[in-house]
Amino acid sequence: MALCLLFGLFLGLQTSASSSSGLRSSREDITTAFRPRQPPHIIFILTDDQGFNDIGYHSRDVRSPTLDKLASEGVRLENYYVQPLCTPSRSQLITGRYQIHTGLQHSIIRPRQPNCLPLDAVTLPQRLQEAGYSTHMVGKWHLGFYRKDCLPTRRGFHTYFGSLTGSVDYYTYGSCDGKSLCGFDLHEGESVAWGRGGKYSTHLYTQRVRKILATHDSSSQPLFIFLSLQAVHTPLNPPKEYIYPFRRMGNVPRRKYAAMVSIVDEAVRNITYALRKYGFYRNSVVIFSTDNGAQPLTGGSNWPLRGCKGTYWEGGIRGVGFVHSPLIRHRRRVSRALIHITDWYPTLVGLAGGNVSQYQGLDGFDVWPTISEGKEGHGLWDTTVQAAIRVGDWKLLTGDPGHGDWVPPQILTNFPSSWWNLERQTGEKRKSVWLFNVTGDPCERHDLAVHRPDVVKELLARLVLYNRTAIPVRYPPDDTRANPSLNGGAWRPWVGEGEEEENWDGIYYKRGKNRKRKCRLCKLQSFFKKFNLKIMSKKI
């Protein structure tokens, strides 16, 4: 149990100009920072599995002219951190708290699990409702739905339209947990939206956002829209007309992936057009963010960063992000300040006129002065535990951070997965501590743990401090009552109101999950070791 307490922990700590330790340890008085006179309309756009190299201003093969323009006219966030998986990132955005403080530090919430965002957590949309906002969510939830109190409409959103599970078909909205347990997953409020499928989800969700903007009076009430896109998560099946412009791209998964990014770009263009058309734009803040790094085997790219989705290398946790708003005082710049996904909660509540200092338990910080005015942010461990922490220039990893590949675009993605796994063994199997200066070495190629033991010691002490605040993991076993065949063929809440909760604390492992498997292609292992070391690490 102890080894799993910090599964999923990544702390994006910010530096303090006045602190010799560089640790973000106290909340600063930000009352002197410039604030909008009226609460702004807030549009938060979250993409799924979009990697660091999957946007035009980082990549040559991806086309995203709208996103590039909005980022260049706003503030591009180049030291922006998220979590390596879906549920942890979304929970931190919605609660402003690290997942070690909500019990969601152990992987994602699967459809059959009786688990959801803790019901005692006051969410971001609930705080915005208190500030007078009309709040709407469109798209992927993935924060649990086993009982109705877990649904978006019970967690602060006036309206909801989207899918509750982690992955659905882009057209039919079918969602499967395993190979055989499948059901329909498109919801309008708290009801299943039967008959609404057939349209590609990015188009369907964009249409809903534009409808909200068209029917809301921009002068009467501030608006918060959380657009949580399914794209660019698998399956890779965009409409064919969007694939055609990338027909000369040799790698088929990358070709389809690039097409999906272009559809996201088109969606953002249509939404920003609607903001202008219906009178929202001049008093609006648009935030664009990914939830975690990309998966190179399915067309994504985090190049030149190391690692991928599900890992604690930079490729898994350094996110694509920017803020676009006429309310930003110093626009058209790139910010290298450390910003973490938990920071959006206090930042947006602060913009809405709320008093963040009154809220206990928040781990995020109000970073609007950093974004708007460029002000600097303030701010004996078991090394077998999987964790990562960044303070200033330094990033420390412990335990097994995950596969640490550097994956150039269109390289090796068509190889059988069993071959791909062989080249991962790079001689670091027994290591449990890494230290990188990710400002000077963002690709994490030069481990400095041996050379800077003082920094290692300081960051390990910080991990101990945070671990003392962790609560027990909530990762229950699957509940057979979740089966869509028992619920009208759809994924929907299955625990009745007033029904007693079972004990959620602890971790459940499936039988045989941790059993060792014999390598069937051991003769090729030596080849892939040399290939990784000579080609991936040095030649490219």
Side-chain angles (χ1 to χ4, degrees):
M1 183 73 67
L3 295 180
C4 299
L5 282 175
L6 281 188
F7 182 94
L9 168 62
F10 179 77
L11 308 176
L13 301 181
Q14 292 177 304
T15 58
S16 168
S18 60
S19 172
S20 60
S21 65
L23 298 176
R24 184 177 72 169
S25 57
S26 62
R27 300 179 186 275
E28 298 295 319
D29 183 4
I30 56 173
T31 56
T32 58
F34 171 77
R35 299 282 168 179
R37 293 182 179 179
Q38 297 179 337
H41 306 291
I42 301 169
I43 314 296
F44 196 108
I45 302 171
L46 186 71
T47 57
D48 200 343
D49 290 4
Q50 184 175 6
F52 190 79
N53 195 40
D54 295 333
I55 194 165
Y57 57 75
H58 283 164
S59 173
R60 294 182 179 180
D61 57 353
V62 171
R63 303 173 190 172
S64 55
T66 300
L67 298 177
D68 298 350
K69 186 174 188 292
L70 292 175
S72 67
E73 294 176 348
V75 178
R76 214 171 85 193
L77 308 177
E78 288 297 287
N79 268 326
Y80 173 52
Y81 284 89
V82 292
Q83 296 303 120
L85 291 172
C86 303
T87 297
S89 279
R90 294 162 197 276
S91 70
Q92 294 197 22
L93 168 64
I94 293 294
T95 66
R97 302 171 67 188
Y98 299 139
Q99 70 268 34
I100 61 170
H101 297 152
T102 59
L104 297 176
Q105 64 264 46
H106 195 75
S107 191
I108 62 173
I109 297 177
R110 301 196 319 277
R112 282 178 284 178
Q113 286 184 299
N115 196 6
C116 72
L117 197 70
L119 298 177
D120 60 349
V122 181
T123 66
L124 170 61
Q126 286 173 329
R127 291 300 186 196
L128 293 178
Q129 282 186 354
E130 292 173 0
Y133 274 70
S134 176
T135 59
H136 307 267
M137 180 176 175
V138 179
K140 174 178 172 178
W141 175 239
H142 207 187
L143 289 173
F145 61 93
Y146 81 106
R147 64 190 319 141
K148 287 189 175 181
D149 286 341
C150 302
L151 297 177
T153 48
R154 306 284 180 104
R155 306 313 306 272
F157 291 102
H158 289 115
T159 69
Y160 172 68
F161 180 63
S163 298
L164 298 174
T165 62
S167 177
V168 302
D169 184 274
Y170 278 83
Y171 300 92
T172 67
Y173 299 90
S175 175
C176 294
D177 188 17
K179 294 182 179 180
S180 58
L181 200 64
C182 301
F184 185 72
D185 185 17
L186 184 63
H187 296 256
E188 177 78 65
E190 298 183 5
S191 302
V192 179
W194 297 109
R196 298 292 298 277
K199 179 175 286 190
Y200 187 73
S201 71
T202 306
H203 292 152
L204 184 66
Y205 294 157
T206 303
Q207 184 180 55
R208 172 52 62 96
V209 171
R210 295 181 68 184
K211 181 179 179 180
I212 294 172
L213 293 172
T215 57
H216 186 83
D217 184 356
S218 62
S219 61
S220 65
Q221 184 182 24
L223 184 67
F224 172 58
I225 297 178
F226 177 32
L227 173 59
S228 178
L229 292 170
Q230 177 187 355
V232 285
H233 196 288
T234 54
L236 304 178
N237 55 355
K240 292 183 179 179
E241 60 268 25
Y242 290 92
I243 302 176
Y244 184 78
F246 302 95
R247 62 192 180 280
R248 292 186 175 84
M249 192 176 291
N251 183 272
V252 175
R254 184 64 172 169
R255 184 189 309 166
K256 293 181 179 180
Y257 189 97
M260 294 168 72
V261 174
S262 72
I263 300 174
V264 171
D265 189 78
E266 177 186 82
V268 175
R269 184 184 72 221
N270 291 333
I271 290 169
T272 52
Y273 174 80
L275 288 174
R276 290 180 169 89
K277 179 179 179 180
Y278 299 114
F280 292 89
Y281 178 74
R282 291 190 177 183
N283 189 38
S284 69
V285 175
V286 178
I287 300 167
F288 184 89
S289 168
T290 185
D291 65 344
N292 48 247
Q295 176 51 264
L297 287 174
T298 55
S301 175
N302 304 302
W303 184 260
L305 303 180
R306 183 179 186 179
C308 62
K309 172 184 177 178
T311 75
Y312 289 86
W313 305 109
E314 288 292 279
I317 56 177
R318 187 181 285 201
V320 169
F322 65 79
V323 182
H324 178 93
S325 172
L327 305 176
I328 296 174
R329 300 194 78 176
H330 300 303
R331 299 189 290 272
R332 300 180 181 274
R333 62 186 178 85
V334 175
S335 172
R336 303 195 184 278
L338 284 175
I339 294 177
H340 189 254
I341 195 168
T342 53
D343 294 330
W344 295 123
Y345 185 115
T347 299
L348 298 183
V349 171
L351 282 175
N355 187 351
V356 179
S357 63
Q358 295 179 351
Y359 307 143
Q360 301 297 319
L362 292 183
D363 294 309
F365 287 77
D366 187 339
V367 293
W368 185 250
T370 300
I371 293 171
S372 179
E373 302 176 53
K375 294 183 178 180
E376 290 191 16
H378 292 274
L380 305 161
W381 177 257
D382 181 358
T383 60
T384 64
V385 173
Q386 185 189 50
I389 183 171
R390 176 169 172 178
V391 179
D393 297 333
W394 297 105
K395 176 184 173 183
L396 180 82
L397 302 97
T398 67
D400 179 7
H403 299 312
D405 301 320
W406 293 271
V407 186
Q410 304 185 40
I411 298 295
L412 294 179
T413 55
N414 291 328
F415 275 33
S417 59
S418 58
W419 288 25
W420 181 266
N421 290 334
L422 291 175
E423 61 88 24
R424 299 184 186 278
Q425 308 299 325
T426 60
E428 295 184 336
K429 194 170 183 178
R430 296 184 179 180
K431 281 181 63 64
S432 62
V433 177
W434 293 261
L435 179 70
F436 299 97
N437 183 326
V438 288
T439 299
D441 178 27
C443 300
E444 297 174 292
R445 294 184 181 272
H446 306 291
D447 180 10
L448 302 176
V450 175
H451 305 287
R452 293 300 304 270
D454 56 323
V455 178
V456 171
K457 182 178 180 180
E458 183 175 7
L459 298 189
L460 288 177
R462 177 60 51 157
L463 284 176
V464 172
L465 178 64
Y466 277 97
N467 189 37
R468 290 171 180 166
T469 67
I471 68 174
V473 170
R474 296 148 63 106
Y475 197 75
D478 293 340
D479 191 333
T480 56
R481 295 175 296 171
N483 192 327
S485 65
L486 302 177
N487 296 282
W491 290 109
R492 63 172 77 195
W494 67 90
V495 175
E497 295 188 29
E499 195 170 329
E500 292 186 5
E501 296 279 5
E502 295 183 12
N503 184 9
W504 284 4
D505 292 351
I507 304 166
Y508 167 75
Y509 291 103
K510 292 185 178 180
R511 288 184 179 180
K513 183 177 180 181
N514 295 321
R515 292 179 182 174
K516 294 182 179 180
R517 297 180 179 178
K518 293 183 179 180
C519 175
R520 298 180 179 179
L521 299 172
C522 291
K523 292 182 179 180
L524 295 175
Q525 190 166 9
S526 177
F527 166 77
F528 278 97
K529 281 185 180 180
K530 294 178 182 178
F531 186 90
N532 182 68
L533 292 173
K534 293 182 179 180
I535 304 299
M536 303 295 283
S537 299
K538 298 179 181 179
K539 302 298 183 180
I540 299 176

